Structure formats: structure tokens, C-alpha cells
């Protein structure tokens, strides 16, 4: 956000703090963020909420979409998730992949997980700082809210892998390994190159009843 170029975090100690050009400002920003986090915890001005669901699913007969079923009998369709194949021209004969390719076809038992997370209170708190003409703290709280919700997504994804779905019950990864995505599974989101269509969010929201968590 502040365009302070350097590596953070890294093993041992953030190297950016020792940078001759931006180290002092990076340290000040870090300290200010720590103080704001303490104040947020004390005031309970921000809070996290989320919702998740694991659904019986199969690849459609045409191979392009994912069919989500009402239950594990797989007799009644609940929704269809429309996928998109890779569009870039390739210099080799490899396939143009789609997320649907990673879901088993009909006749096989497979599932798809969905989740949505949100950091509530950030808009109001940022508005408070804006009303005080305090752009620095407005941007700081917005940046922290973004990091909080990303950390929550990481935590919830782990809970799904290890507990809720439990396909990776024996996972024991260090923080550095999590940051390098050494776990099994992915969490692409609408807007990613693999799923560029944001309108699919409506289907996800309906499947999970996401508005029950205040996520709109």
C-alpha cells in the first residue's frame, strides 16, 4: 500500500527494517499497525465472520461445468457452477484446463467446498478517520482489514482440510510452508484468472446462505 519495497516476513527478522532507504519508515509503519491492532482488539471495532459448505458434486457430462447436488444421493441438482477453460494460445498440444477438470465425472463420489469470509466494521472505522481528515489511519485500517480477512481465509481453509472435510487430517505444516502453499487443495476465487466471472458469486452466496454471516 505504501510501496515500501522489501521482503517481509522472512525467517528470523524482517529484512526491510534494515533497508537503508525505507527501513525507518517500514519500522514506523509496522509499529503504528501494532498499536492500531491493540486498539481494534480493545474496542472490538472490527470482527471477522464467515460461512462455508461442502457439497456433493460431479463434472457435467459435457465436461465444462460442475453440478452441485442437494445431498449425497446425487439425485437432485442444486446448482450448476459454470467454469471457463484457459483461453491463452499455447505453443504445445497440452490441454486448455478448467476447474471442472479437477472434479470427478458422474458415477464417482466427489465434493466441492465453498467459503466466504468478511471483516466487518472496517468501512465505519475508515469513515471515522476520514471524517477526522486522517487519511493515514484510514488507509492503515483498510490495509489491516484486508490482511485480517486474508488470514481468516487461510485459517478457514486449513480447518476445512484438516477438520471439516478432513481430507488432510495429518497435515502439520509450519507457517512458512503455508505461505508457500505446500498443502493439498486450492482456493481460487471469482476474479482469479481461473474463474474470471464475478457473477458466479450469486450462485456461491445462495448455496452457502452467505448473507446469514452478513456477507453481501
Amino acid at each position: 500500500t505504501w510501496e515500501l519495497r522489501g521482503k517481509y516476513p522472512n525467517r528470523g527478522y524482517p529484512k526491510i527494517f534494515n533497508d537503508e532507504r525505507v527501513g525507518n519508515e517500514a519500522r514506523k509503519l509496522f509499529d503504528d499497525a501494532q498499536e492500531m491492532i491493540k486498539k481494534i482488539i480493545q474496542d472490538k471495532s472490527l470482527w471477522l465472520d464467515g460461512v462455508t459448505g461442502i457439497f456433493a458434486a460431479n463434472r457435467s457430462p459435457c465436461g465444462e461445468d460442475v453440478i452441485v447436488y442437494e445431498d449425497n444421493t446425487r439425485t437432485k441438482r442444486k446448482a450448476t457452477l459454470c467454469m471457463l477453460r484457459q483461453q491463452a494460445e499455447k505453443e504445445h498440444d497440452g490441454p486448455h484446463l478448467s476447474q471442472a477438470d479437477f472434479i470427478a465425472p458422474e458415477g464417482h463420489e466427489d465434493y466441492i467446498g465453498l467459503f466466504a469470509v468478511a471483516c466487518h466494521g472496517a468501512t465505519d472505522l475508515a469513515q471515522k478517520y476520514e471524517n477526522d481528515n486522517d487519511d493515514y489511519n484510514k488507509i492503515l485500517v483498510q490495509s489491516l482489514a484486508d490482511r485480517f480477512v486474508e488470514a481468516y481465509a487461510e485459517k478457514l481453509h486449513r480447518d476445512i482440510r484438516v477438520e471439516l472435510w478432513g481430507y488432510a487430517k495429518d497435515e502439520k505444516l509450519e507457517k512458512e510452508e503455508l505461505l508457500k502453499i505446500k498443502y493439498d487443495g486450492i482456493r481460487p476465487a471469482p476474479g482469479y484468472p481461473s474463474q474470471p466471472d464475478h457473477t458466479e458469486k450469486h450462485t456461491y452466496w445462495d448455496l452457502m446462505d452467505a448473507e446469514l454471516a452478513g456477507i453481501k
Side-chain angles (χ1 to χ4, degrees), residues 68-81:
V68 178
Y69 300 100
E70 287 279 358
D71 53 42
N72 209 31
T73 65
R74 301 172 191 262
T75 56
K76 187 176 180 181
R77 183 179 301 200
K78 188 178 182 71
T80 299
L81 306 181

Side-chain angles (χ1 to χ4, degrees), residues 8 26 36 38 46-47 54 70 81 92 94 99-100 106 108 133 153 163:
Y8 178 88
M36 179 169 282
K38 292 177 184 177
L46 302 185
W47 65 99
I54 299 169
E70 287 279 358
L81 306 181
H92 53 77
Q99 289 183 43
E106 292 179 350
H108 298 269
N133 295 315
E163 300 174 15

Side-chain angles (χ1 to χ4, degrees), residues 35-50:
E35 288 301 314
M36 179 169 282
I37 289 172
K38 292 177 184 177
K39 182 171 175 50
I40 288 169
I41 294 172
Q42 179 180 346
D43 298 343
K44 295 181 169 59
S45 51
L46 302 185
W47 65 99
L48 296 163
D49 211 342

Side-chain angles (χ1 to χ4, degrees), residues 36-204:
M36 179 169 282
I37 289 172
K38 292 177 184 177
K39 182 171 175 50
I40 288 169
I41 294 172
Q42 179 180 346
D43 298 343
K44 295 181 169 59
S45 51
L46 302 185
W47 65 99
L48 296 163
D49 211 342
V51 62
T52 186
I54 299 169
F55 303 92
N58 286 118
R59 186 166 67 244
S60 64
C62 70
E64 299 303 320
D65 303 316
V66 175
I67 300 169
V68 178
Y69 300 100
E70 287 279 358
D71 53 42
N72 209 31
T73 65
R74 301 172 191 262
T75 56
K76 187 176 180 181
R77 183 179 301 200
K78 188 178 182 71
T80 299
L81 306 181
C82 300
M83 301 301 179
L84 181 70
R85 294 202 168 274
Q86 292 171 317
Q87 300 295 298
E89 184 176 348
K90 297 191 175 185
E91 296 181 358
H92 53 77
D93 295 330
H96 287 71
L97 295 175
S98 161
Q99 289 183 43
D101 295 334
F102 299 91
I103 303 293
E106 292 179 350
H108 298 269
E109 187 176 289
D110 206 353
Y111 299 86
I112 190 168
L114 301 173
F115 69 81
V117 293
C119 181
H120 299 293
T123 300
D124 290 340
L125 188 54
Q127 185 62 55
K128 172 183 175 296
Y129 287 119
E130 183 174 329
N131 293 343
D132 293 338
N133 295 315
D134 187 346
D135 287 341
Y136 177 78
N137 278 311
K138 172 192 171 183
I139 296 171
L140 184 57
V141 74
Q142 291 171 329
S143 301
L144 286 173
D146 177 81
R147 294 299 84 203
F148 292 156
V149 80
E150 190 66 36
Y152 186 29
E154 194 74 67
K155 170 65 166 62
L156 183 53
H157 191 190
R158 183 189 180 279
D159 289 346
I160 291 170
R161 296 192 305 271
V162 177
E163 300 174 15
L164 301 177
W165 192 335
Y167 65 80
K169 291 181 180 179
D170 298 327
E171 178 185 304
K172 292 180 175 62
L173 299 176
E174 299 296 328
K175 179 179 66 175
E176 290 79 8
E177 294 175 303
L178 290 172
L179 291 172
K180 292 179 180 178
I181 317 178
K182 297 296 185 180
Y183 47 76
D184 292 328
I186 58 173
R187 59 170 189 271
Y192 279 31
S194 60
Q195 180 56 280
D197 185 2
H198 282 276
T199 61
E200 281 291 89
K201 287 179 181 176
H202 295 295
T203 305
Y204 301 160

Side-chain angles (χ1 to χ4, degrees), residues 5-21:
R5 304 299 183 188
K7 190 170 184 180
Y8 178 88
N10 56 273
R11 187 180 296 276
Y13 195 78
K15 293 179 181 177
I16 190 173
F17 293 165
N18 299 323
D19 188 282
E20 293 182 358
R21 295 175 296 109

